[in-house]
Amino acid sequence: MQRKLLAGLVLVAVLSMLACGGSKYSEAIEVNTSFVDAMETYLDGIDKAESGSDMAKAINTYADKIEKLAPKMKALAQKYPEWKDRAKIPEELKPLTEKTENLAQRMAGSFMKAMKYMQDPEVQAAQQRLANSMGKMQ
């Protein structure tokens, strides 16, 4: 389950990277900015968690945001299917790739801390909710 969650989050990060852009892509910029903000808040919550309850709260807060962003991110992925091929990402979008990759790396590190709470039923329920929310982006 943890591997699926991590894979899903990395997918979200990649979709975020693909959904960012300049003035031609103002909608993508707005969605991407919201996603990156949500991701940073989530990672801060994981890093500060001192209990299973804290961890579940961080996950649920992120799930709340993902539930709102998922339809927009899905629409962007459908609008720009060519962006799935990294070689086809417009040059003006590529600088944001680094920020997304940095967040994905930070996320991988944060999951090490989260592992100690994985047996908590509240955390498991929150993770399932997040996985369901992220699934709506596909």
Side-chain angles (χ1 to χ4, degrees), residues 5-135:
L5 179 60
L6 181 58
L9 291 171
V10 169
L11 173 63
V12 169
V14 169
L15 287 174
S16 171
M17 172 194 67
L18 298 176
C20 41
S23 61
K24 181 177 176 182
Y25 304 105
S26 59
E27 178 185 14
I29 291 171
E30 180 182 334
V31 172
N32 182 65
T33 300
S34 296
F35 176 76
V36 168
D37 290 347
M39 196 174 194
E40 288 175 334
T41 300
Y42 172 57
L43 293 171
D44 289 344
I46 288 175
D47 291 342
K48 293 176 185 174
E50 302 270 335
S51 67
S53 181
D54 291 345
M55 184 63 64
K57 181 179 178 184
I59 296 168
N60 279 317
T61 298
Y62 188 50
D64 290 341
K65 294 175 183 180
I66 293 300
E67 286 171 356
K68 292 176 185 169
L69 289 171
K72 296 175 185 178
M73 295 194 68
K74 182 176 182 176
L76 286 171
Q78 291 171 341
K79 185 175 181 178
Y80 302 108
E82 67 275 14
W83 290 355
K84 289 180 182 178
D85 179 353
R86 293 179 76 143
K88 294 183 180 178
I89 297 173
E91 212 41 55
E92 62 197 279
L93 305 180
K94 290 183 179 179
L96 296 171
T97 301
E98 185 177 327
K99 184 170 186 173
T100 303
E101 289 173 355
N102 289 339
L103 284 172
Q105 288 176 2
R106 182 177 167 207
M107 186 173 289
S110 293
F111 279 115
M112 295 306 289
K113 180 173 182 180
M115 292 301 289
K116 67 182 173 181
Y117 301 112
M118 293 299 176
Q119 297 305 314
D120 185 305
E122 189 179 2
V123 172
Q124 290 175 352
Q127 285 182 311
Q128 185 59 49
R129 179 173 172 235
L130 178 58
N132 292 340
S133 298
M134 291 187 324

